Amino acid sequence: MNWDWDKLQEKREKQQKNRPAPPEPDHDDFDDFDQEREERPFRQVRRGGQRNNFPNLPKLGLPQGMLIGGGALILLVIWLLSGIYIVNPGEAGVVLRFGQYNRTVGPGPHYALPVPIETVYKPQVTRVLRSEVGYRSAGESSTYQKGQVRPILAEASMLTGDENIVNVQFSVQYRIADPVAYLFNIHEPDALVRSAAEAAMREVIGNSLIDSAITDGKLQIQADATNLLQNILDRYHTGLRIIAVQLQDVHPPDEVRDAFKDVASAREDKIRIINEAEAYRNELLPRARGEAAALRNKADAYKATRIQNAEGEAARFSALSSEHQRAPKVMEQRLYYEALEDILRNAREKVLLDGKTPERILPYLPLSGPTPPTAAGTQEKR
């Protein structure tokens, strides 16, 4: 390769020596000379301090108009393809045309005219947002931990209806209901929700008593604050929907907290004693009512039994009287036998004497205990 290159160099030097020197260009023709150099496919290359020309190489490249047209076409295709966008689940696509609202699209792939004709915003409409009033959580924790929050007394201090001061710390959960109103009607939505929630809670607390706010009225306060806050946001056309207002901590100022704790403890003791008394009453009264009902039922049963027995005896006596009038001797003998039958049936011990024995001796029958046998008669025990 070195020998070929040296041989080629020698051949070119001989050609340059035999060729006449070109005339020097005038200054007036300098522009024409530059144009001629630009049209050459390859410019002169200086190598080793000498000027080398390659006149025998072929010309390369395309016409300048085709290159510009092809580049413009590629840029146009890329610009048109940039209008393809995807709306993720839980988002809503809001399309603006020249800065004016045009349409809203749901999740999935869509196409919009590229910028600057159309612009697409994709707010998350299913995400639950959270705003804190009266305190700030440490980090991004979504749970209220009393020892790890920073209280904001300027927001938490509120005046109750009975002119007492109470510190209220609560949170508001909300989401985007109308993405168009959310994007174009409000600025800094979190600050707006916090201010509106504070105003609503102050009004509700101002209409409540401190005892209700601290003890058993929290649920009603949360419901009233939720409705009032939603009405405020609707009047502002914010496009937000309140999910819940949750009271995290409601307590009096630190200076009087101990006294309020004593009052609350006494109130709890009162409620506890009342509940115990109610439980005792609820246990005693049904038992007394049951015993009274049992006695009443027994009395009614005894009454019915006596009445029925009396009616039966009266009916029996009437029947016997009618039969006695028909056959007095027979009825009297029958009654005598029935009476003896009843007496003998119910007697535990019986002593039988013949007809002549009672005439000779005086029969002595003990009133209690077993009867000893006698020679005067026979004793039969059953």
Side-chain angles (χ1 to χ4, degrees):
M1 294 296 295
N2 295 334
W3 180 83
D4 294 337
W5 178 256
D6 294 339
K7 187 176 180 179
L8 181 62
Q9 289 293 101
E10 291 177 0
K11 185 177 180 180
R12 288 178 179 177
E13 288 178 0
K14 290 180 181 181
Q15 292 177 357
Q16 289 178 0
K17 289 179 181 180
N18 296 330
R19 184 182 301 173
E24 294 293 333
D26 296 335
H27 292 287
D28 296 335
D29 299 331
F30 189 77
D31 296 335
D32 296 336
F33 178 73
D34 289 338
Q35 183 177 3
E36 182 181 357
R37 292 183 63 187
E38 290 176 358
E39 292 177 355
R40 295 176 184 177
F42 293 95
R43 295 186 179 183
Q44 297 177 353
V45 180
R46 296 181 180 274
R47 197 180 293 274
Q50 298 179 357
R51 179 177 299 173
N52 299 326
N53 296 329
F54 303 94
N56 297 327
L57 294 177
K59 294 183 179 182
L60 301 176
L62 297 173
Q64 187 175 5
M66 293 182 64
L67 292 175
I68 295 175
L73 180 61
I74 293 173
L75 292 178
L76 178 62
V77 171
I78 295 174
W79 180 70
L80 292 176
L81 291 177
S82 65
I84 300 175
Y85 65 97
I86 297 177
V87 179
N88 297 323
E91 297 179 344
V94 179
V95 182
L96 306 182
R97 180 172 294 175
F98 296 111
Q100 186 178 6
Y101 170 74
N102 182 262
R103 64 188 181 276
T104 301
V105 297
H110 301 278
Y111 181 79
L113 297 178
V115 178
I117 299 177
E118 291 185 346
T119 306
V120 180
Y121 294 94
K122 297 183 286 184
Q124 297 182 353
V125 295
T126 59
R127 180 184 177 186
V128 178
L129 305 174
R130 187 167 178 266
S131 181
E132 300 170 345
V133 181
Y135 72 100
R136 299 294 183 272
S137 298
E140 297 181 355
S141 177
S142 59
T143 58
Y144 179 84
Q145 299 178 358
K146 191 172 182 180
Q148 299 181 3
V149 299
R150 179 170 56 89
I152 309 296
L153 295 179
E155 297 178 357
S157 297
M158 300 182 184
L159 188 65
T160 62
D162 50 357
E163 298 181 356
N164 287 303
I165 297 177
V166 64
N167 294 334
V168 182
Q169 297 176 354
F170 66 98
S171 62
V172 180
Q173 295 179 354
Y174 62 96
R175 65 176 182 85
I176 301 173
D178 186 356
V180 178
Y182 172 78
L183 290 173
F184 307 117
N185 290 350
I186 60 176
H187 179 65
E188 296 183 358
D190 187 69
L192 173 63
V193 172
R194 182 181 295 111
S195 300
E198 181 181 353
M201 185 59 70
R202 289 186 181 278
E203 181 175 348
V204 174
I205 292 295
N207 295 328
S208 305
L209 301 178
I210 189 170
D211 294 338
S212 176
I214 294 177
T215 56
D216 56 351
K218 294 182 180 180
L219 295 178
Q220 185 62 36
I221 290 174
Q222 290 179 167
D224 295 343
T226 301
N227 296 331
L228 182 57
L229 177 57
Q230 186 64 61
N231 293 333
I232 294 174
L233 296 180
D234 291 342
R235 290 200 302 269
Y236 292 161
H237 302 286
T238 59
L240 299 176
R241 177 65 57 188
I242 301 300
I243 299 176
V245 175
Q246 296 180 348
L247 292 174
Q248 304 293 348
D249 189 16
V250 181
H251 59 272
D254 296 337
E255 294 78 6
V256 294
R257 181 177 297 182
D258 295 337
F260 272 93
K261 286 183 178 179
D262 294 338
V263 174
S265 299
R267 186 177 293 106
E268 292 176 357
D269 292 339
K270 174 186 175 182
I271 296 174
R272 178 179 56 82
I273 294 172
I274 291 175
N275 292 335
E276 291 177 355
E278 291 289 340
Y280 177 73
R281 186 186 70 173
N282 294 334
E283 180 183 1
L284 185 62
L285 288 180
R287 184 186 304 172
R289 292 190 185 99
E291 293 177 357
L295 291 175
R296 189 179 297 110
N297 292 334
K298 287 182 179 180
D300 293 339
Y302 179 74
K303 173 185 175 181
T305 303
R306 293 301 300 269
I307 291 174
Q308 291 177 0
N309 291 337
E311 290 177 352
E313 292 293 335
R316 180 174 178 273
F317 182 80
S318 299
L320 292 176
S321 177
S322 299
E323 295 296 330
H324 182 266
Q325 291 177 1
R326 293 179 183 178
K329 295 295 183 181
V330 176
M331 184 56 63
E332 290 175 1
Q333 191 69 25
R334 179 182 175 184
L335 292 177
Y336 174 74
Y337 289 153
E338 290 179 357
L340 288 178
E341 184 180 359
D342 292 337
I343 293 172
L344 295 175
R345 184 189 302 114
N346 296 327
R348 187 176 58 179
E349 296 180 357
K350 303 178 180 64
V351 179
L352 300 179
L353 301 175
D354 58 4
K356 296 181 179 181
T357 302
E359 297 177 358
R360 295 193 298 266
I361 63 173
L362 177 65
Y364 171 75
L365 299 177
L367 298 178
S368 62
T371 303
T374 60
T378 62
Q379 182 180 23
E380 181 185 357
K381 295 183 179 181
R382 291 184 181 178

